Every structure is written in structure tokens, then in C-alpha cells.
Amino acid sequence: MQHLLDSTEAALLSALSDPSDPIAGCPASALALLRRARNPDPLLALAHSRLHAFPFDAVPACWRRLYTDASIARAVAVMRENLLSLDDEDEDDEEGDEGGNGNGNGEAAGEEEEEEEEEEKRGWVDTVVKILDMASIMAGAAGRQGTIERILAALQEHVDRDWDGERPRARKRRRKRRKVDERDGGGGGPWDSFPAAAKGAAKVPIVRHPVPSSVAPTMQAFETQLASGRPLLITEALAHWPAMQERPWASPAYLLRRTFGGRRLIPVETGRSYTDADWGQSIITFKEFMEKYMMMPADAATDASDLGYLAQHDLFAQIPSLRNDIAVPDYCYTEPPPLKAAVKDAGFSTADVAAPPPKLDEPLLNAWFGPAGTVSPLHTDPYHNILCQVVGKKYVRLYSPEQTDKLYPKGVEGGGVDMSNTSEVDAEASADELDAEFPLFRQAEYVETILGEGECLYIPVGWWHYVRSLSVSFSVSFWWK
């Protein structure tokens, strides 16, 4: 561990002398402070303010790098301080163990007090995880994702060894570890599975206009589908994913273990849909997200404001261990036709098709994890999409680009945000409300499907789609072009 911390600090200092490093664009005074500061907090505050001075996509690389490097420096400092203290305590424990066995009730009471003290002391682990995850979420890790993951992996190994190994303090923690295991799913109990009917559970809609389906089509057959420009439900294509069986995402306990006991931070959308007035965002620990939104019993409140959704987040770059549980579908390496050509070949008008976005070198992966009742409102994506369902079910309704004039796209909203890929229509509104406000909407033609576990849905670029979770749901989308 000490070697890792030393080499990390050396890499941070080396970057300050490299004119090609992104951090070189920061003011010399800030770099000088990072070079000599024991406490990087002022630099974190400075970089944080600069991150919020620009639209997210326009933040200069130097400020992202400064925020990331100052975060890493702060995390290393916290680890050094507490690891040194822990080593000193273990030496004291060894001496105490040689002094005798103690007895009975006094020893038990002493252990209880020690366990409470340890609970407080171990807060530094949560602090380190929070600092490093904020660097990933706020600044995109700025080229330091590998460094962050190495630190977190080493820290988790250290914590696991400290609990389960043969260090003196580990022996004294075993009883507490059993309590934590029961609470966090390591020993069975409520964390074994998600509630059968989570809050917000919805009645499964009747599918009247089904999306065509195919059982694990060959690459040639899928390319033929691409040329048609139409959606396709793909079945029996995910059985080889570890997330479906031996490393099951349907197990809350497994997900907690993969997220450092639920310590990892994630961005969560609150509310039913990002188009609703009460929609919001927060950054919370994975365990808090699970307890508050995913593990609620069936009779819990179902108000939309009680819903939380981990939506369109690159969870797999942040937590690579989860990335190892899935695989990019081979279909994402096909060469789809240009959007306008595909739309025209399918017999649709190209009048409402926007200019294509840049080509992707590799598929973009995003996680979608939430309880029943979460909604992605009617919208389009800039790339071809294969939506893979790992846990639970979703209802998906799709409209071709030809139906755009009946779907009432939004325009540019306050702050210059272009929302033209999102419809003004709430697809869940009553027929009377829709007819009164959007009279053409119910005339639009669509196809629909219930996307179940182990199934994939190919969504052609430019197709409008509305999605609602019918149960606790964990999906992965793969954008490619």
C-alpha cells in the first residue's frame, strides 16, 4: 500500500513539470500550491468553482485535471494518516494480547465499546471513497481513472484483509463483521433479492402492436435488419453474461460487494421523469440508493417524488468490476447505414432527420437502474442503440421518424438547452388530456414490447421511444455508430 501511495504522489508531482499535461493550463500559482501543499482543500475549492463556471462539456481540461489531481492528493493524505494510526494500534493490540486473557462480562463490554470506536474510526474509508468518486463524477477523472481504481482496489483489499485476516485487530472484529455481513447481505437475509413487488409497481400493459422478434439472429441476419431501419426484439442473446448467473445483478448483496460495501457514490435522478417539474438530482452512496429506492416493500409510498433512478450513467468506467460482468454485443460492431439512407430505405420521410453526430470508435455504455415506475420520456438518441435487460422488465413504445410531426418535439429551452430530441407529450397522460393538448399524438403509429430479463431491443437511430420500468430494473444500453 505504501508503495502505491508513494508512486501516486510521484506521478502527480511529475505531471506538474510536464508542459504537455492538461494541468499545465492552470495558473502557475495553483500549480505551485499543489506542488508544496499538505492540504489540497483550497485547490479543490478553486477547481470546484471553475467546474461550475462553464457548461459541463465546455470545462477546460486543466480544471478537470486540477480537481482530479487535488482529489487524489487529498485521498492519499487521508490514507497515509489513518493507515499509520492503524499500524500503531495493531502493535498496541499485540502487546495487550500478550498480557493475558481478560475475563467474562468485562471483556465483552470492552469489546462492545471497541466495536463502537472502530465504527467511528473507519469513517476515513468512506471519506477516501467519496473524494475519489467525486473526482470521477464531477471531473470525469480527467485521465486518472486507472489511478483512482488502483487506489480503491488496494483500499478494498486492505479493508477486507483487516476484517477477515489474522491481524490482531481483525481477530477482535469478527463478531462485528458477522453483524455487518448480516446487514449487507454477506450472510443471507433481506439483501438476498429485490422485493417481488417494489414500490411504484405498475400493471403490465397489453401489447397490441408488437415489435418483431428474433432468437439470437446471426450477424448477417442482423445486418439485414439494420438495412430495414426498424426495431427488433432479440431473445436468448445474454445467457453467457456473468451478470445473468454466476455474478448475478439480481442479487442486492452481490451489487453491494461490487460497490465496496455500497460505499461508492452514484448520481441519482429523483422523481418519475426528467421532464417533470419535481425532478431533481443528487449524489449519494450506492447503499443509500439501494435502501431508499430499491429495497422498499410493496406497500410503501408510491408518490413520484419517492422514485430514484440511476439513469444514463457510465457506471462501468467508474466501477470496472461491474463491467467485467457483461459483454458488448457483437451486433454493435456491424456497420449501420447512414441515418437518412436507412430512413429513406424504410419508406419514411427524411425531412425531420437531424445531422448525424460524430462517429464512435467504441460503443458507449450506460447503466439504467431503478425501481418500478421510473420513466424515460418520449425521446430520440443520437446513435443506434441495443438496450439489454439484465434484471426485471420494462415496457417500451417506439415511433418511427416519420411520426415526428405528431410527437410535438420540444425546442431550445431556458439557458440555451436544446431539448428537440424530447417530446412535449407525457405518454402516460389520459386520452382526454392528450386529445386536448396534443390532438395529433394518438394518431401516431407505434410498435411496443415488454423487454424481459435476458432480452435485447435494437432501437434504430432517430426512432422515438418511451420506456417505463415495470419492476426493479437494471438495463445496459450500448450506443454505437
Side-chain angles (χ1 to χ4, degrees):
M1 179 72 81
Q2 292 299 332
H3 174 73
L4 174 62
L5 300 183
D6 291 343
S7 62
T8 299
E9 285 188 333
L12 297 181
L13 291 173
S14 176
L16 298 176
S17 303
D18 182 357
S20 66
D21 192 279
I23 203 170
C26 289
S29 57
L31 301 185
L33 188 59
L34 182 60
R35 183 177 287 110
R36 66 174 182 268
R38 291 272 181 187
N39 180 8
D41 287 351
L43 287 176
L44 277 172
L46 170 64
H48 186 271
S49 69
R50 302 309 295 164
L51 291 179
H52 287 82
F54 303 88
F56 183 80
D57 293 339
V59 176
C62 66
W63 295 114
R64 294 181 187 273
R65 185 69 145 192
L66 180 62
Y67 186 88
T68 300
D69 283 9
S71 296
I72 293 173
R74 180 74 181 117
V76 168
V78 172
M79 291 175 70
R80 283 195 186 282
E81 177 183 355
N82 287 278
L83 289 173
L84 181 61
S85 298
L86 190 60
D87 288 341
D88 290 343
E89 289 173 1
D90 282 346
E91 290 179 6
D92 292 342
D93 287 341
E94 287 177 340
E95 294 174 1
D97 288 346
E98 292 171 359
N101 294 325
N103 70 40
N105 295 332
E107 181 177 349
E111 285 186 1
E112 290 289 345
E113 292 178 2
E114 184 175 279
E115 287 169 2
E116 292 177 2
E117 292 175 3
E118 285 302 311
E119 182 72 24
E120 295 180 3
K121 290 178 181 177
R122 292 177 65 83
W124 69 267
V125 176
D126 297 350
T127 298
V128 170
V129 175
K130 179 179 180 179
I131 291 169
L132 295 177
D133 269 340
M134 287 299 290
S136 295
I137 295 169
M138 296 293 296
R144 299 287 195 195
Q145 192 63 52
T147 299
I148 289 174
E149 278 308 309
R150 283 191 292 274
I151 294 173
L152 288 172
L155 181 59
Q156 183 161 9
E157 181 182 356
H158 175 87
V159 169
D160 290 345
R161 184 180 67 246
D162 195 30
W163 282 104
D164 297 330
E166 291 304 318
R167 299 179 63 180
R169 188 158 294 273
R171 291 195 295 269
K172 291 191 174 184
R173 292 177 179 141
R174 282 175 179 158
R175 182 170 63 181
K176 182 184 173 191
R177 186 182 70 237
R178 286 194 296 270
K179 295 177 182 178
V180 172
D181 283 346
E182 291 169 0
R183 186 180 65 223
D184 289 355
W191 290 93
D192 281 348
S193 61
F194 291 105
K199 69 175 182 177
K203 185 177 179 180
V204 177
I206 298 173
V207 174
R208 295 183 172 86
H209 310 285
V211 175
S213 65
S214 177
V215 177
T218 64
M219 294 291 283
Q220 183 178 4
F222 184 73
E223 287 179 336
T224 300
Q225 183 67 28
L226 285 177
S228 78
R230 296 176 180 274
L232 180 69
L233 178 65
I234 302 171
T235 62
E236 300 181 22
L238 304 181
H240 63 290
W241 280 17
M244 302 297 300
Q245 294 186 20
E246 63 264 32
R247 300 200 290 270
W249 289 7
S251 165
Y254 174 77
L255 294 176
L256 283 176
R257 290 195 296 271
R258 285 296 193 184
T259 55
F260 205 157
R263 293 180 176 89
R264 302 299 299 268
L265 296 183
I266 54 172
V268 173
E269 298 181 1
T270 54
R272 183 186 64 104
S273 164
Y274 67 77
T275 56
D276 290 353
D278 62 352
W279 180 84
Q281 293 177 295
S282 62
I283 297 176
I284 59 177
T285 67
F286 190 87
K287 185 174 182 183
E288 182 182 352
F289 171 72
M290 294 280 279
E291 290 176 332
K292 187 173 183 179
Y293 299 112
M294 305 303 296
M295 303 300 293
M296 300 299 290
D299 58 354
T302 58
D303 187 86
S305 62
D306 293 332
L307 296 175
Y309 198 14
L310 191 162
Q312 198 169 339
H313 175 53
D314 191 358
L315 183 68
F316 312 109
Q318 182 189 356
I319 307 176
S321 59
L322 285 174
R323 173 66 179 82
N324 296 332
D325 295 344
I326 59 175
V328 176
D330 290 343
Y331 305 123
C332 293
Y333 296 102
T334 54
E335 187 68 31
L339 173 57
K340 289 196 175 185
V343 169
K344 185 176 181 180
D345 289 345
F348 303 141
S349 169
T350 61
D352 293 307
V353 176
K359 187 172 182 177
L360 298 174
D361 293 328
E362 292 291 333
L364 289 177
L365 281 65
N366 281 301
W368 307 80
F369 184 35
T374 50
V375 168
S376 292
L378 193 58
H379 69 285
T380 64
D381 294 329
Y383 297 101
H384 293 268
N385 181 9
I386 291 185
L387 180 63
C388 299
Q389 191 69 14
V390 183
V391 178
K393 293 182 178 181
K394 283 183 169 176
Y395 171 76
V396 187
R397 187 191 300 174
L398 305 103
Y399 298 81
S400 76
E402 187 183 44
Q403 305 298 314
T404 297
D405 60 350
K406 300 175 184 176
L407 303 181
Y408 302 88
K410 293 176 179 283
V412 176
E413 298 191 345
V417 178
D418 185 359
M419 294 288 289
S420 59
N421 75 321
T422 303
S423 171
E424 293 184 11
V425 179
D426 180 356
E428 298 187 341
S430 69
D432 289 343
E433 291 173 322
L434 292 173
D435 289 344
E437 193 168 358
F438 307 105
L440 298 178
F441 176 70
R442 292 210 301 142
Q443 301 174 24
E445 298 178 358
Y446 63 87
V447 292
E448 58 191 337
T449 192
I450 304 295
L451 187 63
E453 291 183 4
E455 296 180 341
C456 310
L457 178 63
Y458 164 58
I459 304 174
V461 62
W463 276 67
W464 295 83
H465 48 288
Y466 149 80
V467 185
R468 181 184 181 91
S469 297
L470 302 177
S471 66
V472 166
S473 171
F474 204 149
S475 314
V476 184
S477 62
F478 297 84
W479 285 0
W480 92 98
K481 184 181 181 210

